[in-house]
Amino acid sequence: MKSVSKCVNWLCLVAMVLFVACDKPTPENPPVENPPVEQSVNSYVLDGEEYALQSVVLTNLGEYLCIVASTDEGVVAFDDFFVDHEYIYIAISPLLEGESFNLMEEQRLYTVMSTLPSAAIEELTPSNTSSISTGDCLFAYDGIKASVSLDLTLADGRVLSVRLEAEQNIVVNSNVIARNGEEKPVRTAFHRAAEGKTSLYFTPAGVDYYADMVELATWYIFLELDDSLCDGRVYNLADVEGEFCAGLRDNVDSSLNIDISSQNLGGASGSFMVRRESGEREYTVVLDIVWGAETLTMEYAGAMLDADMVEVRGNEIVFDGKSYAISSVSLNRADAEIWELTLRCKAVQLTIIMPAEFYDGRAVGFSTDARVGVMCNGELLNKANGYSGTIFVTLDGDNVEAEFINNSRVSAYYRGVFAEE
């Protein structure tokens, strides 16, 4: 009996060894891995540890799509997140909506900031990525809900993943213009009708009046055509039966200005489509034109501003779409090289910062000089931080005329007396 028992035990041992051997991972028998755990919506994961984000708000700042989230519960007003709460904030140009992009390489505007515990990010922009070594983002909006994914490797090697969802009715500017392949949103469009002609103007600049576009915008294009050509048909420039003229105006480099017409194409080729819609000054326009060394493509659909509207100026700051009357203005010339002009109102303090020689009425863009910028409620808006803007300041004794335009968040105009600081 003992020999039989030993034989049975030996066979069991052999069976166990064979079972283990068969279960051992090989190229033909790879190990079975546990599926990755899916990250929860409205959470962040830092080095494998997940944390809930209890409050999430989606909104627009100018044309930008913005989402902000906090670990604290009950935060419902967008501005309140930045006061006494830990938060993560993501904003993108409408050109990036629905597109997965690499934060290290992307040149279109975005901003990421965080005060989350152990994952502080002062500011990520196309010109400032020093706080991360890798990063990808997707900010998609379907007309009702935004879904945002952010995956970063911080500079110290830690990995941060954020997943956000929020519902809100926001605006996505899908009108795009590209000169020589450089895409920008069409921020402003103007319309004029006279004597059987339709004139249309488009610019990446954020301006309110036609005169500002002509004088201040970095560049804009125009298309003037017979009303009969606004019928939604695609017209090849060389085959148009009717009159049209088109052109480009560059207020920085006039050598880039171009004019073509049905009588003189000047070597231009391409096509255009203009369709008059049912709404007042509402058009759909598609352009695909090559002008010498210049290429221009555009898609625009929507209402346009009246080119004949004349501006009535008021001393005010327009911040996030709301207007505030300016109550006081002061000029600080303590630094002989860099002067600061501060405009104050109830909800906003805006300080124009630029070299003294620029206070002579000329147009000064953020790209003119690295020392040019605007401080708005403690936030520095300048080229290095991914913002655009144009400043005009003229001093005349105790009076000053100052204007700030071409910025998505804030604009300002003031004409009157100022105090010395």
Side-chain angles (χ1 to χ4, degrees):
M1 289 294 293
K2 289 183 179 179
S3 62
V4 172
S5 175
K6 289 180 179 179
C7 182
V8 170
N9 290 338
W10 182 82
L11 289 172
C12 290
L13 178 61
V14 170
M16 290 176 63
V17 170
L18 290 173
F19 177 79
V20 172
C22 290
D23 193 51
K24 183 178 180 180
T26 66
E28 295 76 20
N29 183 33
V32 177
E33 297 182 359
N34 293 324
V37 178
E38 185 175 349
Q39 182 176 343
S40 302
V41 172
N42 293 336
S43 72
Y44 74 94
V45 174
L46 183 63
D47 272 355
E49 191 74 25
E50 183 174 288
Y51 305 87
L53 292 164
Q54 307 285 0
S55 301
V56 185
V57 169
L58 173 69
T59 191
N60 283 114
L61 284 180
E63 69 180 7
Y64 294 92
L65 286 68
C66 308
I67 194 166
V68 61
S70 174
T71 53
D72 298 330
E73 294 184 13
V75 190
V76 295
F78 179 78
D79 291 340
D80 289 347
F81 282 83
F82 306 96
V83 180
D84 296 313
H85 303 283
E86 295 164 343
Y87 65 85
I88 181 153
Y89 166 78
I90 304 165
I92 62 165
S93 161
L95 298 178
L96 292 170
E97 187 278 318
E99 180 179 332
S100 180
F101 61 94
N102 184 322
L103 280 76
M104 303 295 291
E105 301 174 354
E106 185 58 58
Q107 294 304 306
R108 289 168 291 184
L109 295 181
Y110 69 83
T111 300
V112 176
M113 294 187 295
S114 170
T115 61
L116 296 175
S118 304
I121 301 172
E122 183 175 352
E123 189 174 50
L124 282 177
T125 68
S127 60
N128 182 18
T129 58
S130 59
S131 57
I132 63 172
S133 58
T134 66
D136 293 284
C137 183
L138 172 63
F139 195 134
Y141 179 65
D142 62 9
I144 299 174
K145 181 175 69 176
S147 301
V148 179
S149 299
L150 180 70
D151 296 288
L152 306 175
T153 302
L154 303 177
D156 60 10
R158 292 175 300 143
V159 176
L160 173 67
S161 297
V162 182
R163 300 293 182 267
L164 301 175
E165 286 187 1
E167 294 186 6
Q168 181 64 41
N169 183 18
I170 61 174
V171 177
V172 179
N173 180 6
S174 58
N175 296 318
V176 177
I177 192 169
R179 180 171 69 158
N180 298 333
E182 181 184 3
E183 281 193 342
K184 292 182 177 293
V186 180
R187 293 189 172 94
T188 316
F190 293 96
H191 166 269
R192 174 180 288 128
E195 300 178 352
K197 299 284 186 182
T198 295
S199 298
L200 308 173
Y201 308 85
F202 307 91
T203 179
V207 294
D208 296 317
Y209 297 93
Y210 173 82
D212 287 340
M213 179 192 69
V214 171
E215 297 176 9
L216 311 177
T218 301
W219 62 275
Y220 65 94
I221 66 168
F222 62 89
L223 175 63
E224 181 182 296
L225 65 169
D226 290 339
D227 290 345
S228 61
L229 298 177
C230 301
D231 57 2
R233 293 173 55 193
V234 177
Y235 288 97
N236 187 297
L237 297 184
D239 301 328
V240 176
E241 294 182 2
E243 292 188 0
F244 78 91
C245 63
L248 180 144
R249 293 289 180 267
D250 191 305
N251 286 324
V252 176
D253 185 354
S254 60
S255 68
L256 299 176
N257 292 349
I258 296 172
D259 289 276
I260 64 173
S261 69
S262 48
Q263 289 78 32
N264 183 9
L265 291 179
S269 62
S271 62
F272 66 80
M273 187 280 288
V274 178
R275 183 172 64 241
R276 184 184 295 107
E277 307 293 359
S278 57
E280 183 179 9
R281 292 189 299 276
E282 185 178 357
Y283 286 81
T284 299
V285 183
V286 178
L287 297 178
D288 186 359
I289 301 176
V290 177
W291 291 331
E294 300 281 321
T295 62
L296 180 72
T297 59
M298 187 185 73
E299 295 183 7
Y300 181 89
M304 309 177 75
L305 299 176
D306 185 355
D308 294 322
M309 183 177 293
V310 178
E311 180 179 12
V312 178
R313 307 305 298 270
N315 291 339
E316 63 182 13
I317 297 174
V318 179
F319 181 66
D320 288 344
K322 296 181 180 179
S323 300
Y324 302 93
I326 295 173
S327 57
S328 66
V329 176
S330 62
L331 179 63
N332 187 334
R333 293 189 259 202
D335 186 325
E337 293 186 3
I338 308 296
W339 293 355
E340 299 183 357
L341 180 71
T342 300
L343 316 178
R344 300 177 182 85
C345 61
K346 183 178 181 180
V348 188
Q349 178 169 303
L350 185 147
T351 300
I352 294 170
I353 306 167
M354 59 183 184
E357 62 265 27
F358 293 156
Y359 286 72
D360 60 358
R362 77 180 80 173
V364 183
F366 283 172
S367 59
T368 303
D369 190 302
R371 297 170 295 174
V372 174
V374 166
M375 186 72 71
C376 181
N377 283 359
E379 180 182 4
L380 180 60
L381 312 180
N382 62 8
K383 183 179 180 181
N385 288 333
Y387 290 96
S388 61
T390 306
I391 301 167
F392 303 81
V393 179
T394 303
L395 297 176
D396 182 14
D398 295 331
N399 289 271
V400 63
E401 183 175 15
E403 185 170 20
F404 178 56
I405 61 170
N406 290 345
N407 183 266
S408 60
R409 295 201 62 187
V410 62
S411 62
Y413 177 81
Y414 177 81
R415 185 174 184 177
V417 297
F418 67 92
E420 293 279 358
E421 289 189 21

